[in-house]
Amino acid sequence: MPLRALIWDVDGTVAETERDGHRVAFNQAFQAFGLPWRWDVAHYGELLRVAGGYERLLFDMQARADAPGPLAERSRLARALHQCKNRLYADLVAGGAIRARPGVHRLMHECLALGLAQAVATTTSRANVEALFTRLFGGQWRKGFGAVVCAEDAPEKKPHPQAYLLALGQLGITAADALALEDSPNGLMAASVAGVPTLVTPSEYFGGASFDGCAGLCDDLEGPLNWRGASAPRVDVSSLRRLHAAGMSA
Ligand code: XBP
Ligand code: MG
C-alpha cells in the first residue's frame, strides 16, 4: 500500500503553540475580562489533557469558586473568553511569537516537490490555523493542502477520530494510505482509532508521555526516526514512503 498523504496535526506538531501562544493568550483574555485567573506553565500542562480551548475553560471553571454557577452562564463566559483568546492568539502569532518546529518547512516543501498530498486534522479553531500557517508558510499556504479539517468541522475533539475520518474522506483515500504526524497522546489516539498509522514527535508538554501504539517516534523531524524496529537518520519523504510500505506489508 503506497503512502498517498501526510496528515498534519497543528498544535505541538507544526509548532510549539501552547506554552507561549495559547496559554499566554488565555491569560491576556482573563485580564481583559477583569478575571484574576492565570494559567501558569505547569497548570496549563495539566489542562492540556482536555482537548479544545472552550472545553479546557469549562473544565478549569469546575475548580474555581468564583466561576459562574449556572451552566448556561458558564458556557456563555467560556465562549466569550475563547473568542477573545483566539483574537489575542492571532495577534501573538502575527507578531512572530511562534516558530515552526525543526524540519517542518523542509518536509512540507519536499511533499510539494515530490507530489505527496498533505492535509491538516486539528482540534484547534480555523482562525488559529489561518493565522499560524499564514505567518509561517505565507498567504498561499492553503494551495498545498488537499484538506484542512479544524474544530468547526470536527466538533468531536481528539481523542475522537472525527477530524481524521473527515480528512480521509476529503482526500478520498483510506486510512492505510495515510500517515499522521502527531505530538500528543490525544492526537495519537484520534489517528489510531481512525486507523491511520502515526509518527509521533512529542511536543514539550508531552515529552514524558507514553505513546504505545505509534508506528514511529522521533524527537523532531530533523532527528533520527524509529519505526517499528527499523530506523532512518531523519524524517523525509523517501524514508516515510519506505517505512510506511514496510509497515503495511508486515
Ligand atoms: C489542540 C488543542 C486546542 C489548542 C487551542 O490539540 O487541543 O484546543 O490547545 O486551540 P491538537 P483552541 O494539537 O491535538 O489538535 O482554543 O482553538 O481550541
Ligand atoms: Mg497536537
Side-chain angles (χ1 to χ4, degrees):
M1 191 76 72
L3 178 60
R4 295 177 64 192
L6 282 193
I7 305 181
W8 293 85
D9 168 51
V10 176
D11 294 298
T13 300
V14 168
E16 293 283 9
T17 53
E18 297 291 5
R19 189 190 65 188
D20 301 329
H22 292 294
R23 185 188 68 88
V24 172
F26 275 117
N27 286 334
Q28 290 175 344
F30 297 147
Q31 189 166 13
F33 276 61
L35 291 163
W37 309 343
R38 297 294 179 271
W39 288 349
D40 66 25
V41 171
H43 182 56
Y44 192 67
E46 288 157 21
L47 292 176
L48 278 178
R49 271 178 297 191
V50 182
Y54 166 75
E55 291 80 358
R56 200 167 296 145
L57 282 161
L58 281 181
F59 177 83
D60 189 64
M61 282 186 203
Q62 288 173 21
R64 296 198 180 268
D66 55 347
L71 193 57
E73 230 178 282
R74 245 181 224 205
S75 306
R76 249 196 315 277
L77 178 58
R79 282 269 169 246
L81 280 168
H82 189 230
Q83 281 168 9
C84 177
K85 184 279 287 183
N86 281 350
R87 283 193 297 274
L88 292 161
Y89 173 80
D91 290 346
L92 284 171
V93 166
I98 306 291
R99 294 165 51 177
R101 288 187 64 190
V104 167
H105 275 104
R106 175 187 50 77
L107 185 57
M108 284 187 179
H109 281 120
E110 265 187 37
C111 289
L112 285 174
L114 299 172
L116 181 59
Q118 299 182 85
V120 164
T122 178
T123 277
T124 205
S125 314
R126 186 166 290 278
N128 299 338
V129 177
E130 195 66 53
L132 184 70
F133 278 35
T134 299
R135 170 71 199 197
L136 297 181
F137 311 124
Q140 301 298 306
W141 69 269
R142 183 64 182 81
K143 290 185 182 155
F145 291 83
V148 179
V149 177
C150 304
E152 291 83 349
D153 316 298
E156 301 283 0
K157 306 279 162 72
K158 298 174 187 178
H160 195 285
Q162 189 178 39
Y164 278 97
L165 295 172
L166 284 170
L168 291 170
Q170 289 179 25
L171 289 168
I173 62 174
T174 63
D177 294 333
L179 178 66
L181 293 168
E182 277 287 355
D183 70 296
S184 70
N186 275 341
L188 170 61
M189 178 69 80
S192 301
V193 173
V196 182
T198 306
L199 170 60
V200 175
T201 172
S203 54
E204 54 191 1
Y205 270 118
F206 297 110
S210 153
F211 291 105
D212 294 343
C214 71
L217 197 58
C218 60
D219 286 346
D220 63 51
L221 300 179
E222 294 292 15
L225 154 69
N226 291 306
W227 182 280
R228 293 180 173 143
S231 64
R234 70 172 189 174
V235 180
D236 56 30
V237 169
S238 96
S239 63
L240 290 180
R241 280 185 166 144
R242 182 169 48 81
L243 294 166
H244 180 267
M248 288 301 138
S249 60

